[in-house]
Amino acid sequence: MIARLHDPEFSRWARQIKRAGGCRQPIHLRGKVEHYDRATGQLLHRYSTLHEPNGVLRVPCKTRRASRCPACAEVYRADTYQLIRAGLVGGKGVPETVSTHPCLFITLTAPSFGAVHTRRENNGKVLPCHARRDGGTCPHGRTMSCTERHRADDPCLGEPLCPDCYDYDGSVLFNAISPELWRRFTLALRRRFARLNGLTVKALSEYAGIAFAKVAEYQRRGVVHFHAVIRLDGPDGPHSPPPAWATADALTQAVQHAAAAVTAEVKPLSRTFRWGTQLDVRPITMNGDLTEQAVAAYIAKYATKAAECVGTLDRRIQPLDNLDALPIREHARHLIAACMRLGEHPGLAELRLTHWAHMLGFRGHFSTKSRHYSTTLGELRAAREEHMRTQEFTTGRLPLFDEDTVLVVAHWAYAGQGLSAGEQLLAAAITGRQTPHLGGPDDR
Ligand SMILES: [Zn+2]
Ligand SMILES: [Zn+2]
Ligand SMILES: [Zn+2]
């Protein structure tokens, strides 16, 4: 920290850190950009990182994970919010009339893989965890009942009542197969909705479309839930209204049918998975119980969370890792062990369970949407970068040239990532963000 502070280039380093928006683990780039006049070949402008502090340019890591970089995750969260919101009320190229389209917010849950400690509330009162008068004891001699009213931060939440009875294999296999289960759900939903209206799927597409946006959320017990926005459109996506017969009620019926009907099989183990029986379907309205703002905020929140809130690692498990020594919850350790063991099974190779053990078997995308839902994260990013470029023009960093007449030659190379412990403290002070905890090299 002292070395950095006394460095004559400190103020320029500080400017870079500020521009990276408080990124905790900025990527270091070494390289240059040259602008040539196409006609004469004359060099008009050259930018090189050679004259930057340590000869590198520090750019944001752009992670979506809050556990790795709060600053970049916040940008991702805000972008996701805008993207979901545009699909509900318009904006970012989506017409405002989209807000009149029937729209649902649904939650698809995972089935049970054994009783776990839970905190349930009813009208603000905390209920007993798992009160079963006739619960009896399991084959391992444990009482299958828990009458405690757990606190919200009780570390036992999500832990099985009996670890020996718990179906860890089922839990990680469900996570692994859930993206396929979701895909089948969307197909079954279209089919059912078409049939309810006396149409084939192909014929339905001439009148109406169904758009999706979803996020995965880890529950304390280590399985994923899906929260999704499902919207009815006309034949041209959000730009056309759905026909009058395409109602929220019909869509709700189709969701309920599809959620109960679809299955996905893990053939080598002869196991079939389906959604849990808890299905939540609610209409999204501009002023009712569930507003578009609440939905967009909710989805955006989960988009920056991964499995680490379950008490697992936020990095890949390495072959030499000693599973017993990792600083993780006992429940997560069992789930990771199940991934590693099932990952050895040649018939399950395509599930890549060893690779995704730290995610407890889930290898899908956290937030996805169908093509017609709204704008894309890429377009939002491009808009922001364009904005930053115009700022650079006015601060004199880049000359203002017409792109068509100028040949741009750029060479960039990755030159490392991250900040030293002392630099992290300085960066926190410069950007006004909370000081991150200072970890070892694994903290990357
Ligand atoms: Zn970052
Ligand atoms: Zn309990
Ligand atoms: Zn047991």
Side-chain angles (χ1 to χ4, degrees):
M1 187 164 80
I2 289 165
R4 179 57 77 189
L5 265 173
H6 286 273
D7 188 328
E9 292 186 306
F10 174 75
S11 65
R12 298 187 56 205
W13 177 83
R15 235 188 350 259
Q16 275 195 13
I17 293 297
K18 239 186 220 155
R19 287 174 52 87
C23 177
R24 185 193 280 189
Q25 46 176 12
I27 292 164
H28 301 171
L29 293 176
R30 208 185 292 283
K32 60 178 180 180
V33 188
E34 290 168 345
H35 294 77
Y36 291 96
D37 188 309
R38 267 182 204 278
T40 65
Q42 187 201 350
L43 177 66
L44 299 170
H45 183 265
R46 167 185 283 153
Y47 165 76
S48 164
T49 56
L50 211 61
H51 309 293
E52 297 287 353
N54 307 96
V56 294
L57 186 67
R58 291 160 182 85
V59 298
C61 70
K62 294 188 182 173
T63 183
R64 103 189 139 67
R65 297 214 182 164
S67 60
R68 292 187 184 167
C69 177
C72 292
E74 175 55 27
V75 173
Y76 186 93
R77 193 199 59 74
D79 279 359
T80 305
Y81 176 83
Q82 294 298 343
L83 183 151
I84 298 293
R85 194 169 180 279
L88 295 171
V89 298
K92 315 272 170 204
V94 180
E96 278 170 27
T97 48
V98 81
S99 65
T100 61
H101 298 196
C103 205
L104 302 177
F105 184 58
I106 74 159
T107 301
L108 290 163
T109 60
S112 169
F113 298 102
V116 296
H117 293 282
T118 51
R119 177 187 160 90
R120 286 174 302 130
E121 282 182 40
N122 193 2
N123 291 328
K125 260 184 67 184
V126 183
L127 302 175
C129 164
H130 211 85
R132 297 278 187 283
R133 213 172 301 129
D134 52 356
T137 51
C138 77
H140 311 96
R142 293 188 178 93
T143 313
M144 293 313 273
S145 167
C146 172
T147 52
E148 260 185 66
R149 294 164 203 269
H150 296 292
R151 288 196 327 269
D153 60 347
D154 194 323
C156 83
L157 289 178
E159 299 277 331
L161 265 56
C162 175
D164 296 308
C165 284
Y166 199 77
D167 182 9
Y168 292 100
D169 288 7
S171 178
V172 300
L173 287 170
F174 176 84
N175 281 351
I177 203 104
S178 61
E180 175 61 16
L181 202 53
W182 166 263
R183 195 183 69 84
R184 292 184 186 187
F185 166 76
T186 61
L187 296 177
L189 174 61
R190 284 203 172 93
R191 243 184 345 256
R192 187 67 183 181
F193 187 74
R195 187 180 298 172
L196 280 173
N197 292 292
L199 296 167
T200 61
V201 173
K202 195 160 175 285
L204 175 71
S205 66
E206 285 169 34
Y207 304 101
I210 304 178
F212 303 92
K214 79 162 198 321
V215 281
E217 178 206 352
Y218 276 90
Q219 287 196 287
R220 293 281 303 177
R221 61 185 167 127
V223 282
V224 285
H225 270 183
F226 288 122
H227 302 288
V229 172
I230 306 181
R231 189 189 64 212
L232 283 172
D233 291 332
D236 299 320
H239 298 274
S240 53
W245 47 261
T247 62
D249 279 348
L251 188 61
T252 302
Q253 273 186 52
V255 164
Q256 283 163 342
H257 175 88
V262 291
T263 59
E265 206 179 342
V266 178
K267 284 213 178 76
L269 301 177
S270 316
R271 290 199 64 159
T272 302
F273 292 92
R274 52 180 73 239
W275 300 115
T277 47
Q278 277 181 27
L279 168 70
D280 191 42
V281 184
R282 285 186 285 169
I284 304 171
T285 54
M286 295 289 279
N287 42 25
D289 290 342
L290 191 62
T291 62
E292 58 354 266
Q293 244 129 354
V295 169
Y298 195 65
I299 290 212
K301 182 177 120 201
Y302 285 112
T304 60
K305 278 193 181 165
E308 59 268 16
C309 50
V310 181
T312 173
L313 287 187
D314 81 339
R315 64 162 175 87
R316 234 156 238 156
I317 310 286
Q318 305 299 327
L320 293 177
D321 274 336
N322 178 1
L323 207 53
D324 293 331
L326 292 175
I328 52 177
R329 263 173 72 198
E330 211 46 45
H331 186 57
R333 202 184 313 279
H334 279 119
L335 290 166
I336 290 172
C339 285
M340 304 304 267
R341 187 165 30 75
L342 291 168
E344 299 284 304
H345 193 301
L348 303 178
E350 65 180 35
L351 296 180
R352 306 186 68 212
L353 285 161
T354 313
H355 197 73
W356 295 106
H358 66 301
M359 301 293 275
L360 314 179
F362 182 64
R363 69 190 189 297
H365 291 288
F366 269 82
S367 48
T368 59
K369 60 172 194 63
S370 56
R371 196 161 46 89
H372 283 305
Y373 182 74
S374 71
T375 178
T376 64
L377 281 175
E379 278 168 26
L380 286 175
R381 268 188 209 125
R384 193 172 45 244
E385 268 152 31
E386 185 54 41
H387 171 72
M388 288 186 66
R389 272 169 59 88
T390 15
Q391 278 190 326
E392 281 175 346
F393 286 139
T394 53
T395 53
R397 184 138 169 216
L398 283 175
L400 236 173
F401 297 127
D402 185 352
E403 297 277 343
D404 284 344
T405 63
V406 175
L407 178 69
V408 181
V409 182
H411 300 279
W412 292 108
Y414 177 80
Q417 185 176 13
L419 297 169
S420 72
E423 287 175 335
Q424 284 189 38
L425 288 170
L426 287 174
I430 290 166
T431 57
R433 288 190 176 266
Q434 221 184 338
T435 313
H437 73 279
L438 301 174
D442 276 346
D443 204 36
R444 295 282 151 87

Coordinates of all heavy atoms in Angstrom, one line a residue, residues 298-333:
Y298 N -36.8 -8.8 -8.1 CA -36.6 -10.1 -7.6 C -35.7 -11.0 -8.5 O -34.8 -11.6 -8.0 CB -38.0 -10.7 -7.5 CG -38.1 -12.0 -6.6 CD1 -37.8 -11.9 -5.3 CD2 -38.4 -13.2 -7.2 CE1 -37.9 -13.0 -4.5 CE2 -38.5 -14.3 -6.4 CZ -38.2 -14.2 -5.1 OH -38.3 -15.4 -4.3
I299 N -36.0 -10.9 -9.8 CA -35.2 -11.7 -10.7 C -33.8 -11.2 -10.8 O -32.8 -12.0 -10.8 CB -35.9 -11.7 -12.1 CG1 -37.2 -12.5 -12.1 CG2 -34.9 -12.2 -13.2 CD1 -37.6 -13.2 -13.3
A300 N -33.6 -9.9 -10.8 CA -32.3 -9.3 -10.9 C -31.4 -9.7 -9.6 O -30.3 -10.0 -9.7 CB -32.4 -7.8 -11.0
K301 N -32.1 -9.8 -8.5 CA -31.4 -10.1 -7.2 C -30.8 -11.5 -7.4 O -29.6 -11.7 -7.0 CB -32.4 -10.0 -6.1 CG -31.7 -10.3 -4.7 CD -32.7 -10.2 -3.6 CE -32.9 -11.5 -2.9 NZ -34.1 -11.6 -2.1
Y302 N -31.6 -12.5 -7.9 CA -31.1 -13.8 -7.9 C -30.0 -14.0 -9.0 O -29.3 -15.0 -9.0 CB -32.2 -14.8 -8.0 CG -32.9 -14.9 -6.7 CD1 -34.2 -14.5 -6.5 CD2 -32.2 -15.5 -5.6 CE1 -34.7 -14.5 -5.2 CE2 -32.7 -15.5 -4.4 CZ -34.0 -15.1 -4.2 OH -34.6 -15.1 -2.9
A303 N -30.0 -13.1 -10.0 CA -29.1 -13.3 -11.1 C -27.7 -13.1 -10.7 O -26.8 -13.6 -11.3 CB -29.4 -12.3 -12.2
T304 N -27.4 -12.5 -9.5 CA -26.0 -12.3 -9.1 C -25.6 -13.3 -8.0 O -24.5 -13.2 -7.5 CB -25.8 -10.8 -8.6 OG1 -26.7 -10.6 -7.5 CG2 -26.1 -9.8 -9.7
K305 N -26.5 -14.2 -7.7 CA -26.2 -15.2 -6.7 C -25.9 -16.5 -7.3 O -26.5 -16.9 -8.2 CB -27.4 -15.3 -5.7 CG -27.4 -14.3 -4.6 CD -28.4 -14.7 -3.6 CE -28.5 -13.6 -2.5 NZ -29.7 -13.8 -1.7
A306 N -24.9 -17.2 -6.7 CA -24.7 -18.6 -7.2 C -24.9 -19.5 -6.0 O -25.7 -19.2 -5.1 CB -23.3 -18.7 -7.8
A307 N -24.2 -20.6 -6.1 CA -24.4 -21.6 -5.1 C -23.8 -21.3 -3.7 O -24.1 -21.9 -2.7 CB -23.9 -23.0 -5.5
E308 N -22.9 -20.3 -3.7 CA -22.2 -20.0 -2.4 C -23.1 -19.7 -1.3 O -22.7 -19.9 -0.1 CB -21.1 -18.9 -2.6 CG -21.6 -17.6 -3.1 CD -21.6 -17.5 -4.6 OE1 -21.5 -18.5 -5.3 OE2 -21.7 -16.3 -5.1
C309 N -24.3 -19.2 -1.5 CA -25.2 -18.9 -0.4 C -25.7 -20.2 0.3 O -26.3 -20.2 1.3 CB -26.4 -18.0 -0.8 SG -27.2 -18.6 -2.3
V310 N -25.4 -21.3 -0.3 CA -25.7 -22.6 0.3 C -24.6 -23.1 1.1 O -24.7 -24.1 1.9 CB -26.1 -23.6 -0.8 CG1 -26.5 -25.0 -0.3 CG2 -27.1 -23.1 -1.8
G311 N -23.5 -22.4 1.1 CA -22.3 -22.8 1.9 C -21.3 -23.7 1.2 O -20.7 -24.5 1.8
T312 N -21.3 -23.6 -0.2 CA -20.3 -24.3 -0.9 C -19.2 -23.4 -1.4 O -19.1 -22.3 -0.9 CB -21.0 -25.1 -2.1 OG1 -20.0 -25.7 -2.9 CG2 -21.8 -24.1 -3.0
L313 N -18.3 -23.8 -2.3 CA -17.3 -22.9 -2.7 C -17.7 -22.2 -4.0 O -18.6 -22.6 -4.7 CB -16.1 -23.8 -3.2 CG -15.2 -24.5 -2.1 CD1 -14.0 -25.1 -2.7 CD2 -14.8 -23.5 -1.0
D314 N -17.1 -21.0 -4.2 CA -17.5 -20.3 -5.5 C -16.4 -20.5 -6.5 O -16.2 -19.7 -7.4 CB -17.8 -18.9 -5.2 CG -16.6 -18.0 -5.1 OD1 -15.5 -18.5 -4.9 OD2 -16.8 -16.8 -5.3
R315 N -15.7 -21.6 -6.4 CA -14.7 -22.0 -7.5 C -14.8 -23.5 -7.7 O -15.4 -24.2 -6.9 CB -13.3 -21.6 -7.0 CG -12.8 -22.4 -5.8 CD -11.3 -22.3 -5.7 NE -10.8 -22.9 -4.5 CZ -10.6 -24.2 -4.3 NH1 -10.7 -25.0 -5.4 NH2 -10.1 -24.7 -3.2
R316 N -14.2 -23.9 -8.8 CA -14.2 -25.3 -9.2 C -13.4 -26.1 -8.2 O -12.4 -25.7 -7.6 CB -13.5 -25.4 -10.6 CG -14.4 -26.2 -11.5 CD -14.2 -25.9 -12.9 NE -15.4 -25.4 -13.5 CZ -15.4 -24.6 -14.5 NH1 -14.3 -24.3 -15.2 NH2 -16.6 -24.2 -15.0
I317 N -13.9 -27.4 -8.0 CA -13.1 -28.3 -7.1 C -12.0 -28.9 -7.9 O -12.2 -29.3 -9.0 CB -14.1 -29.5 -6.6 CG1 -15.4 -28.9 -6.1 CG2 -13.3 -30.4 -5.6 CD1 -15.4 -28.3 -4.8
Q318 N -10.8 -28.8 -7.4 CA -9.6 -29.3 -8.1 C -9.3 -30.7 -7.7 O -9.7 -31.2 -6.6 CB -8.4 -28.4 -7.8 CG -8.5 -27.0 -8.0 CD -8.8 -26.6 -9.5 OE1 -8.3 -27.3 -10.4 NE2 -9.7 -25.6 -9.7
P319 N -8.7 -31.5 -8.7 CA -8.5 -32.9 -8.4 C -7.7 -33.2 -7.1 O -8.0 -34.2 -6.4 CB -7.6 -33.4 -9.6 CG -7.9 -32.4 -10.7 CD -8.2 -31.1 -10.0
L320 N -6.8 -32.3 -6.7 CA -6.0 -32.5 -5.5 C -6.7 -31.9 -4.2 O -6.1 -32.0 -3.1 CB -4.6 -31.9 -5.7 CG -3.8 -32.7 -6.7 CD1 -2.4 -32.0 -6.9 CD2 -3.6 -34.1 -6.4
D321 N -7.8 -31.3 -4.4 CA -8.5 -30.7 -3.2 C -8.8 -31.8 -2.2 O -9.3 -32.9 -2.6 CB -9.8 -30.1 -3.6 CG -9.6 -28.6 -4.0 OD1 -8.7 -28.0 -3.6 OD2 -10.5 -28.1 -4.8
N322 N -8.6 -31.6 -0.9 CA -9.0 -32.5 0.1 C -10.4 -32.1 0.5 O -10.5 -31.1 1.2 CB -8.0 -32.5 1.3 CG -8.4 -33.4 2.4 OD1 -9.4 -34.1 2.3 ND2 -7.6 -33.4 3.4
L323 N -11.4 -32.9 0.1 CA -12.8 -32.5 0.3 C -13.1 -32.3 1.8 O -13.8 -31.4 2.2 CB -13.7 -33.6 -0.2 CG -15.1 -33.2 -0.7 CD1 -15.0 -32.0 -1.6 CD2 -15.8 -34.4 -1.3
D324 N -12.4 -33.1 2.7 CA -12.7 -33.0 4.1 C -12.1 -31.7 4.7 O -12.6 -31.3 5.8 CB -12.0 -34.2 4.9 CG -12.7 -35.5 4.5 OD1 -13.9 -35.4 4.2 OD2 -12.0 -36.5 4.5
A325 N -11.1 -31.1 4.0 CA -10.5 -29.9 4.6 C -11.1 -28.6 4.1 O -10.8 -27.5 4.6 CB -9.0 -30.0 4.3
L326 N -12.0 -28.7 3.1 CA -12.5 -27.4 2.5 C -13.4 -26.7 3.5 O -14.2 -27.4 4.3 CB -13.3 -27.8 1.2 CG -12.5 -28.2 0.0 CD1 -13.4 -28.6 -1.1 CD2 -11.5 -27.2 -0.4
P327 N -13.4 -25.4 3.5 CA -14.2 -24.6 4.5 C -15.6 -24.5 4.0 O -16.1 -23.4 3.7 CB -13.5 -23.3 4.6 CG -12.9 -23.1 3.2 CD -12.6 -24.5 2.7
I328 N -16.4 -25.6 4.0 CA -17.8 -25.6 3.5 C -18.7 -26.2 4.5 O -18.3 -27.0 5.4 CB -17.9 -26.3 2.2 CG1 -17.3 -27.7 2.2 CG2 -17.2 -25.4 1.1 CD1 -17.4 -28.4 0.9
R329 N -20.0 -26.0 4.3 CA -21.0 -26.7 5.2 C -21.0 -28.2 5.0 O -20.7 -28.7 3.9 CB -22.4 -26.2 4.8 CG -22.9 -25.0 5.7 CD -24.2 -24.5 5.1 NE -25.3 -25.5 5.3 CZ -26.4 -25.5 4.6 NH1 -26.6 -24.6 3.7 NH2 -27.4 -26.4 4.9
E330 N -21.3 -28.9 6.0 CA -21.3 -30.4 6.0 C -22.2 -30.9 4.9 O -21.9 -31.8 4.1 CB -21.7 -31.0 7.3 CG -21.1 -32.3 7.7 CD -19.6 -32.4 7.4 OE1 -18.8 -31.4 7.7 OE2 -19.2 -33.4 6.8
H331 N -23.4 -30.2 4.8 CA -24.4 -30.6 3.8 C -23.8 -30.5 2.4 O -24.0 -31.3 1.5 CB -25.7 -29.8 4.0 CG -26.8 -30.2 3.1 ND1 -27.3 -31.5 3.1 CD2 -27.5 -29.5 2.2 CE1 -28.3 -31.5 2.2 NE2 -28.5 -30.3 1.7
A332 N -23.2 -29.3 2.1 CA -22.6 -29.0 0.8 C -21.5 -30.1 0.5 O -21.3 -30.5 -0.6 CB -22.0 -27.6 0.8
R333 N -20.7 -30.5 1.6 CA -19.6 -31.5 1.4 C -20.2 -32.8 0.9 O -19.7 -33.4 0.0 CB -18.9 -31.7 2.7 CG -17.5 -32.2 2.6 CD -16.9 -32.5 4.0 NE -17.0 -31.4 5.0 CZ -16.2 -30.4 5.0 NH1 -15.3 -30.2 4.1 NH2 -16.4 -29.4 5.9

